[in-house]
């Protein structure tokens, strides 16, 4: 039977379009939002929709415009307000890549969408297709689950002195709990055996330290799944060298961003990978590559990345049988050697095809399975729903000092110490000065290179805690002695545990 599709905007997906208002038949339908994007976007979206509709996907489509045209029409976020309404109403969004115009002022639509919709989890499966697509890693089959909302991607950046700019790395307990729990639930649902956590908590003890700590806490709730932690640098090296030792990797936003592109590339090509961005209410599915404008309108692009995104979407909306059929047909097509230019290789490939011919070949293979590549089997599942985050009881919080960040163009830390000591009081005194995190006073090294950005730490003496009045006094005195404080950071203890790092060398 033909699929019942209500097209709310003109989408050319050929004979698979069929409109009906039959309520009984449309009951099982999932309404989704589709954006065809820029560059190769429209071609690969048409191919993707054509394949999944031919396989029996029960979807109704609302098409919205996002990307270059919207940016250039003066909307710096790349999406109109009415389009947000459609995305929020349908909750499932299949998006082709878009082009972000060069030049300042344009905000990344991907980052905005992830944050606005609370899409906390980015899921990127990367498996090799050996021997049909060239790879050095024939046994690679891993999934990277990347935290999607926090970390340096909060985009909170400031210039503080002539020489120094900063970007805030924000990591929250709810953020860590959600992504780590999601990774274990994903492993459970998809029969994966191990979850590996990557952090750099030997250096970033507070931020990455929290992620690692939460990972250890939550791992205990899943004794049937193996767990391990790697420091990101050696972990990334291991992944690039021997990816088959990993199964599910969970990590912070920036590491995951970099690592998942590496994983996709070493599996075969970034053009073959899709990703899911999952939130509590909404989800967005896409290819991991960009809009490749140089390849646009030539019927050349490989639609596989977006198709993989659509398969993740079908699994997410419970149409696992359709997802399985499409994935097996796609694997068979790759195995048949029917390849787009980007993965075509003389000797291995049999036929070089364009975007639409590739889609037709996948459709012709529907209902079939690969013989050499491992066919997939997706159990009937439903979207992973996590328990609501419950805020923990408040810890005992004590103010035990303050860091004053100072813009000072001198070079000798002893001179700065003499200048700033005078703002201290009998009970709050200068205890340390660092430059770019390295202790330069007391007892610094003359070899340490210093910028014009100094952190002066004031700690209580003879008493345990200070109060906000002490801070007010320090700040007003610094003003009177002509010290340029560009930022302050309170030092707290939570239940007696320091909530701040020591200076390097302290
Ligand atoms: P890109 O991924 O678009 O393309 C890099 C190269 O990879 C292309 O020149 C092409 O040779 C190849 N390629 C990529 N996808 C392919 C496919 N499906 N089939 C065949 N070959 C493919 O990266 P870029 O050139 O750095 O970025 C182009 C634009 O895409 C930029 O405006 C960038 O901002 C945007 N972008 C968008 C997204 C997104 O919307 N999710 C992601 C990344 C980049």
């Amino acid at each position: 039977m033909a699929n019942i599709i209500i097209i709310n905007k003109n989408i050319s997906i050929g004979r698979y379009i069929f409109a009906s208002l039959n309520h009984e038949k449309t009951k099982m339908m999932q309404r989704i939002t589709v954006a065809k994007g820029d560059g190769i976007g429209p071609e690969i979206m048409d191919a993707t929709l054509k394949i999944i509709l031919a396989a029996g996907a029960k979807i109704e489509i609302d098409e919205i415009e996002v990307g270059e045209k919207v940016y250039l029409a003066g909307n710096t976020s790349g999406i109109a307000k009415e389009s947000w309404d459609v995305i929020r109403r349908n909750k499932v969004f299949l998006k082709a890549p878009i082009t972000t115009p060069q030049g300042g002022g344009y905000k990344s639509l991907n980052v905005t969408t992830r944050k606005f919709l609370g899409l906390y989890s980015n899921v990127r499966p990367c498996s090799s297709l050996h021997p049909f697509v060239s790879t050095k890693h024939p046994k690679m089959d891993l999934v990277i689950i990347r935290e999607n909302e926090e970390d340096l991607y909060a985009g909170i950046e400031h210039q503080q002195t002539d020489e120094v700019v900063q970007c805030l790395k924000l990591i929250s307990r709810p953020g860590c709990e959600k992504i780590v729990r999601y990774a274990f639930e994903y492993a459970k649902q998809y029969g994966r055996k191990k979850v590996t956590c990557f952090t750099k908590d030997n250096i970033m003890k507070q931020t990455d330290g929290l992620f690692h700590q939460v990972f250890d806490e939550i791992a205990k709730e899943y004794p049937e799944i193996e767990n391990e932690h790697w420091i990101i640098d050696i972990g990334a090296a291991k992944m690039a060298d021997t990816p088959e030792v990993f199964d599910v990797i969970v990590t912070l936003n920036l590491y995951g961003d970099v690592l998942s592109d590496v994983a996709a590339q070493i599996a075969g090509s970034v053009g073959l990978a899709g990703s899911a961005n999952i939130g509590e209410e909404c989800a967005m599915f896409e290819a991991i590559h960009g809009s490749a404008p140089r390849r646009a309108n030539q019927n050349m692009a490989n639609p596989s990345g977006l198709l993989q995104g659509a398969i993740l979407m079908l699994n997410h909306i419970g149409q696992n049988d359709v997802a399985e059929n499409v994935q097996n047909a796609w694997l068979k097509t790759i195995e048949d050697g029917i390849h787009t230019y980007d993965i075509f290789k003389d000797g291995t490939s049999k036929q070089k095809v364009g975007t639409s011919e590739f889609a037709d070949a996948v459709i012709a293979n529907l209902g079939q399975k690969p013989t050499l590549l491992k066919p997939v089997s997706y159990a009937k599942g439903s979207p992973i729903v996590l328990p609501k985050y419950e805020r923990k009881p408040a810890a005992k919080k004590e103010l035990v000092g303050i860091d004053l960040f100072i813009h000072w163009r001198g070079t000798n830390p002893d001179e700065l110490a003499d200048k700033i000591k005078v703002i201290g009081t009998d009970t709050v005194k200068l205890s340390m000065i660092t430059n770019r995190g390295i202790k330069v006073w007391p007892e610094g090294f003359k070899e340490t290179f210093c910028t014009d950005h100094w952190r002066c730490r004031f700690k209580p003496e003879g008493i345990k805690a200070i109060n906000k009045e002490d801070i007010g006094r320090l700040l007003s005195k610094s003003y009177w002695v002509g010290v340029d404080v560009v930022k302050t950071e309170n030092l707290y203890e939570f239940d007696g545990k320091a909530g701040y790092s020591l200076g390097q060398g302290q």
Side-chain angles (χ1 to χ4, degrees), residues 107-108 111-112 115 147-159 166-171 253-254:
K107 284 285 191 190
S108 157
V111 177
T112 309
K115 289 200 194 160
E147 199 290 315
N148 219 13
E149 294 178 285
E150 306 195 332
D151 199 349
L152 293 158
Y153 289 62
I156 306 175
E157 296 192 298
H158 298 97
Q159 179 164 3
Q166 81 161 18
C167 177
L168 277 187
K169 172 160 171 154
L170 292 177
I171 303 295
N253 203 343
L254 176 61

Side-chain angles (χ1 to χ4, degrees), residues 49 127 201 233-234 302 355 389 430 447 494:
L49 291 175
S127 321
D201 67 338
D233 39 10
I234 189 63
N302 188 346
T355 314
Y389 174 76
L430 179 68
E447 292 86 350
F494 289 84

